[in-house]
Amino acid sequence: MRKILFLLAAVLTIAACGNVQSNMNTQELQSVWPKGEPNTGYAQYFIGNSYLANMSDGLLNVTFEPKCRNNWHIHHGAVQVLICVYGRGWYQEWGKPVVELHEGVVVEIPEGVKHWHGAAKDSWMQHLTYHKNAQPDASNEWLEPVTDEQYNQVQ
Amino acid sequence: MRKILFLLAAVLTIAACGNVQSNMNTQELQSVWPKGEPNTGYAQYFIGNSYLANMSDGLLNVTFEPKCRNNWHIHHGAVQVLICVYGRGWYQEWGKPVVELHEGVVVEIPEGVKHWHGAAKDSWMQHLTYHKNAQPDASNEWLEPVTDEQYNQVQ
């Protein structure tokens, strides 16, 4: 009987604690970082839904739903810093291996480098972002979408 | 018997999941964010031990052990941004109420404002930090320590 009690308790414990992790992968965002408002201004450059929350002057939190990613793009005249704070996703520079984003990963995107970033298939992802060394004429050059074929290769 | 099984499982479940939270408060740092190296360069301006990890050019992660805080200080010629990513702590501007820092809290420290930041008594705390709008002659003015009397009032 003691063995049965122990096994039952262990199974229930694992099941309950496992929810903390699996929630990250469901359709419901479970995060202390704000989701903000739908990113309608840039929706034309994204596949899937993303959201923007203003954290401070010049510091945004970007939330990507599962499978959401932005098009290939290039920053001119500024360096973009990404600070992943929740979930799992991807960052890739053109012609280079993909980099996994998860809490604690920081990426510095040099100006002039073609790249994309987004969530994994099975997880929401949030990254803070700010720009540095920005020139007065800084701009984004938006390019072609990350196709399903490209995206599915990096899962 | 079913009631006993249920109660036992519930108690064990709560106890096991509670460990996730209580680890934050022990003497062992449990964080995905790097602790880095002892902050020896600024130790004279801190009570307790702090650590610095370089995340990217201009972006640092600062780790405060429980009870650790920096002296009152003022930034001249730059705005400092704090992004709390782990644990619990405090930020206070001179003459104003204390602000609790926990994961997801962002603080922008205006130039010229006397303030301090640090961990809670019973928790490690980590915040990322970067400076913006920095002038070539930006500097820090270090002032008196946050006394135990001041610190104990904000717990």
Side-chain angles (χ1 to χ4, degrees), chain A residues 10-22:
Chain A
V11 165
L12 288 173
T13 301
I14 291 165
C17 290
N19 275 336
V20 174
Q21 177 62 32
S22 64

Side-chain angles (χ1 to χ4, degrees), chain A residues 102-142:
Chain A
H102 51 78
E103 186 187 352
V105 173
V106 173
V107 170
E108 187 167 314
I109 308 170
E111 57 177 330
V113 169
K114 183 174 172 177
H115 68 280
W116 68 273
H117 32 120
K121 267 185 183 175
D122 56 357
S123 177
W124 290 77
M125 189 272 285
Q126 293 180 303
H127 68 60
L128 301 171
T129 184
Y130 66 94
H131 290 83
K132 64 178 189 177
N133 304 333
Q135 306 302 312
D137 60 346
S139 66
N140 283 354
E141 182 183 355
W142 289 99

Side-chain angles (χ1 to χ4, degrees), chain B residues 8-63:
Chain B
L8 179 68
V11 167
L12 288 171
T13 300
I14 291 165
C17 290
N19 275 336
V20 175
Q21 178 62 31
S22 64
N23 279 339
M24 191 179 285
N25 303 330
T26 67
Q27 293 306 305
E28 294 299 323
L29 176 67
Q30 305 271 339
S31 170
V32 301
W33 298 88
K35 184 178 178 183
E37 302 299 322
N39 183 11
T40 51
Y42 291 84
Q44 62 186 307
Y45 307 120
F46 281 66
I47 290 177
N49 292 309
S50 64
Y51 305 83
L52 293 181
N54 190 34
M55 305 298 292
S56 169
D57 177 42
L59 182 69
L60 289 170
N61 190 35
V62 190
T63 299

Side-chain angles (χ1 to χ4, degrees), chain A residues 26-121:
Chain A
T26 66
Q27 294 306 305
E28 294 299 322
L29 177 66
Q30 306 274 338
S31 171
V32 300
W33 298 88
K35 184 178 178 184
E37 301 300 320
N39 183 12
T40 50
Y42 291 85
Q44 61 184 310
Y45 307 120
F46 282 65
I47 290 177
N49 292 309
S50 64
Y51 304 83
L52 293 181
N54 190 35
M55 304 297 293
S56 168
D57 178 42
L59 181 70
L60 288 171
N61 190 36
V62 190
T63 299
F64 299 76
E65 68 175 359
K67 299 183 187 173
C68 174
R69 67 272 192 184
N70 50 30
N71 288 7
W72 291 99
H73 59 291
I74 300 173
H75 303 296
H76 296 288
V79 172
Q80 185 183 17
V81 179
L82 308 182
I83 303 169
C84 188
V85 291
Y86 178 84
R88 201 167 65 87
W90 307 108
Y91 166 74
Q92 188 174 29
E93 296 181 0
W94 185 260
K96 291 194 179 176
V98 75
V99 174
E100 183 175 310
L101 301 177
H102 51 78
E103 186 187 352
V105 173
V106 173
V107 170
E108 187 167 314
I109 308 170
E111 57 177 330
V113 169
K114 183 174 172 177
H115 68 280
W116 68 273
H117 32 120
K121 267 185 183 175

Side-chain angles (χ1 to χ4, degrees), chain B residues 2-138:
Chain B
R2 287 173 70 186
K3 274 191 182 172
I4 293 172
L5 284 173
F6 177 80
L7 282 172
L8 179 68
V11 167
L12 288 171
T13 300
I14 291 165
C17 290
N19 275 336
V20 175
Q21 178 62 31
S22 64
N23 279 339
M24 191 179 285
N25 303 330
T26 67
Q27 293 306 305
E28 294 299 323
L29 176 67
Q30 305 271 339
S31 170
V32 301
W33 298 88
K35 184 178 178 183
E37 302 299 322
N39 183 11
T40 51
Y42 291 84
Q44 62 186 307
Y45 307 120
F46 281 66
I47 290 177
N49 292 309
S50 64
Y51 305 83
L52 293 181
N54 190 34
M55 305 298 292
S56 169
D57 177 42
L59 182 69
L60 289 170
N61 190 35
V62 190
T63 299
F64 299 76
E65 68 175 1
K67 298 183 187 170
C68 174
R69 68 272 191 183
N70 50 30
N71 288 6
W72 290 99
H73 59 290
I74 300 172
H75 304 295
H76 295 288
V79 172
Q80 185 183 19
V81 179
L82 307 183
I83 304 169
C84 188
V85 291
Y86 178 83
R88 202 168 65 89
W90 306 107
Y91 166 74
Q92 188 174 29
E93 297 180 1
W94 185 261
K96 290 194 179 175
V98 76
V99 174
E100 183 175 310
L101 301 178
H102 52 78
E103 186 186 353
V105 173
V106 172
V107 170
E108 187 167 316
I109 308 171
E111 58 176 329
V113 170
K114 183 174 172 178
H115 68 281
W116 68 274
H117 32 120
K121 268 186 182 175
D122 56 356
S123 178
W124 291 77
M125 189 274 284
Q126 292 180 303
H127 68 60
L128 302 171
T129 183
Y130 66 95
H131 289 83
K132 63 177 189 178
N133 305 334
Q135 305 302 310
D137 61 346

